[in-house]
Amino acid sequence: MARPETLYLFASCPAGVEPWLEAEIKSILPRAGVEALRGGVSVHSDAEGVMKLNLESRLAQRVLVEVIEGGYRHEDDLYALARRVDWERWITPQHTLRVDTTAHRSPLKSLNFATLRIKDAICDQLRESQGERPSVDTRAPDLPVVLHLGAERAALYVDTSGEPLFKRGWREDKGDAPLKETLAAAMLAAAGWKGTPETGGALQDPCCGSGTIAVEAAQIACGIAPGLSRRFAFERQLPFQPLRERWAQIKQEARARIHAPAVPIYASDVAFRMVDFARRNAERAGVAQYIQFNGGDALERPAPKLPEGMPGSILMNPPYGERIEVRGKAAAVRDAGGSEARDGGDDFFPRLAAHWKRAYTQHNAGWTAWLLCPDMKLPSKMRLKESRRIPMWNGPIECRMFRFDLVAGSARKQRGEDATER
């Protein structure tokens, strides 16, 4: 039997997530060559590895296959570079394509023209060899192609994912500022939460919005592959057609691994409309029976009663910026159709910390809180000493993920590890 061809892959991710994505890929593909780079992870694997990464990765945005790389000075060099790729190996004239371009310090004045030259190269090659050219589909192409331009060198990739991987296929109900599924997974990875009593224990999100963190957590705890409910571009690309039976087998193996969770998961929100959204999303994700949903203010949410000795993790993307008004108690008035009452942001966080000290340190000394926030002065506002702060981006917003170990008494008396930033 011929040895599978080695493919050079790039799994992209937001800045700061690279170390966790590298660890995740090593667990998915233990025999692959894996290296964290800026903005993603380089992987040496094969076609089966491509399928597994798309199905199993919670942190990657896309899985790209590098098809060629080389130097360039102007657009004609890009055309010549693209003509060196055997595109007949990937698509036929009956397939559709789209080309997207990214650039970093490129000398070219028009990225649109660079994109057009790549599209022309692909179409010209197929027209010359088969008498027809593929059509362009900007929405759901069979062959999404990515051109990346550096200062002197260019690389062409085939996107095997299609829609970005944060689109799991279950979130149809959204709030005003939805958290991407990949960012929720990154928060869980950074917190070391893996859905067992030994790795984070129970989980609670008291500002759950449309339920992204809770649903991601429940799927992790149940062993549900994130891509089981969606389709991928590689399913229509020629190199993967001989592997259809293997793809069906890989998905079946993933379904066979699903199990009941070993820890409880709780989600609540002050807006009952959002709780309803979260519950419907959880139903589509197959985990609604494993999440306890409640309405209610985060400033009043009591600590769940946990099994003896089980720790608990609070994980939340708290209100900040324009969202601060929709997570305090006064927002319930607006959600009920009342006036634009606001619970001021300067008051929310110290009240939240005071509530945690009262409610989460009485019967269980094992609660840890993780908050994602762009305010670097959040610990001083909460009058809590953070034991860790991790840089993380929420779209264009630079944030920190703060860890607070909840213990009784003054924050000055807490004895935890020194806050570190990595």
Side-chain angles (χ1 to χ4, degrees):
M1 180 179 293
R3 185 176 180 180
E5 177 188 1
T6 297
L7 300 176
Y8 298 91
L9 315 179
F10 185 74
S12 62
C13 69
V17 178
E18 298 93 343
W20 295 291
L21 177 57
E22 180 182 25
E24 180 190 58
I25 292 176
K26 285 180 177 178
S27 69
I28 296 170
L29 303 175
R31 297 182 180 178
V34 180
E35 180 185 3
L37 302 174
R38 181 176 177 269
V41 174
S42 170
V43 186
H44 291 181
S45 188
D46 55 21
E48 186 171 315
V50 169
M51 297 190 295
K52 288 183 176 179
L53 280 183
N54 275 291
L55 178 67
E56 301 281 0
S57 178
R58 292 192 174 276
L59 302 175
Q61 299 275 46
R62 298 181 183 276
V63 179
L64 308 175
V65 177
E66 182 181 302
V67 291
I68 199 166
E69 187 268 350
Y72 79 101
R73 289 186 178 179
H74 45 74
E75 290 85 359
D76 288 344
D77 297 330
L78 299 177
Y79 180 89
L81 188 70
R83 284 297 300 254
R84 288 164 51 194
V85 179
D86 182 7
W87 295 107
E88 291 181 85
R89 187 180 160 226
W90 288 93
I91 56 170
T92 71
Q94 286 68 50
H95 286 86
T96 58
L97 71 97
R98 183 188 68 217
V99 181
D100 295 299
T101 300
T102 64
H104 179 64
R105 297 187 298 167
S106 172
L108 299 184
K109 290 183 170 57
S110 172
L111 297 186
N112 287 335
F113 188 48
T115 300
L116 181 63
R117 294 304 280 153
I118 299 299
K119 187 266 293 180
D120 288 345
I122 299 172
C123 292
D124 289 350
Q125 185 189 100
L126 285 166
R127 184 191 293 114
E128 291 171 10
S129 64
Q130 300 191 31
E132 296 180 74
R133 51 156 285 176
S135 301
V136 172
D137 183 346
T138 58
R139 262 194 85 251
D142 301 312
L143 188 76
V145 176
V146 178
L147 168 66
H148 178 70
L149 299 173
E152 298 178 345
R153 301 190 71 80
L156 273 172
Y157 301 89
V158 167
D159 178 1
T160 66
S161 301
E163 285 196 308
L165 294 180
F166 73 81
K167 294 187 177 182
R168 314 289 204 214
W170 51 259
R171 189 170 68 174
E172 297 180 9
D173 295 287
K174 304 176 183 179
D176 296 329
L179 190 72
K180 283 185 178 178
E181 292 85 335
T182 43
L183 179 56
M187 293 173 63
L188 290 159
W193 195 91
K194 297 181 181 179
T196 70
E198 299 77 29
T199 56
L203 184 127
Q204 183 178 36
D205 181 0
C207 290
C208 74
S210 58
T212 310
I213 292 175
V215 171
E216 282 292 310
Q219 287 204 331
I220 290 171
C222 294
I224 299 176
L228 269 177
S229 298
R230 56 161 286 169
R231 304 295 297 272
F232 304 96
F234 74 77
E235 297 179 68
R236 304 187 300 276
Q237 295 164 0
L238 296 184
F240 300 94
Q241 298 313 300
L243 299 173
R244 285 181 178 177
E245 289 186 9
R246 179 60 184 139
W247 172 231
Q249 183 182 3
I250 289 172
K251 290 192 291 184
Q252 184 54 42
E253 291 169 353
R255 293 188 186 97
R257 294 197 305 267
I258 298 174
H259 55 82
V263 296
I265 296 170
Y266 307 90
S268 58
D269 198 277
V270 69
F272 286 90
R273 178 177 67 99
M274 297 310 301
V275 176
D276 187 48
F277 283 1
R279 186 178 287 109
R280 292 207 298 260
N281 286 332
E283 288 171 355
R284 281 186 289 269
V287 294
Q289 67 270 39
Y290 302 125
I291 304 173
Q292 182 175 315
F293 290 102
N294 293 285
D297 198 327
L299 303 177
E300 298 177 352
R301 171 57 46 197
K305 187 175 181 180
L306 303 182
E308 185 67 29
M310 179 179 289
S313 297
I314 299 171
L315 201 73
M316 58 187 286
N317 177 35
Y320 45 81
E322 295 178 357
R323 291 176 59 246
I324 191 69
E325 67 184 75
V326 302
R327 287 295 180 266
K329 199 169 185 179
V333 175
R334 189 193 62 186
D335 287 326
S339 63
E340 279 288 321
R342 294 173 181 246
D343 184 9
D346 291 339
D347 189 42
F348 177 83
F349 291 111
R351 290 173 62 195
L352 183 65
H355 169 64
W356 283 349
K357 287 181 185 180
R358 287 192 305 270
Y360 287 79
T361 63
Q362 301 302 315
H363 306 294
N364 188 313
W367 280 98
T368 302
W370 296 84
L371 281 74
L372 183 70
C373 187
D375 188 349
M376 306 304 164
K377 297 181 179 179
L378 179 67
S380 62
K381 287 184 177 180
M382 298 187 74
R383 302 184 186 95
L384 292 174
K385 173 64 177 175
E386 80 275 23
S387 59
R388 196 174 177 191
R389 59 169 69 196
I390 301 171
M392 198 166 283
W393 289 79
N394 184 357
I397 305 172
E398 183 180 3
C399 298
R400 292 295 183 272
M401 215 178 129
F402 296 96
R403 170 178 166 167
F404 300 104
D405 300 309
L406 304 183
V407 297
S410 168
R412 295 194 179 109
K413 297 178 182 179
Q414 296 181 26
R415 294 182 180 179
E417 52 188 311
D418 292 332
T420 57
E421 179 165 316
R422 47 165 298 234

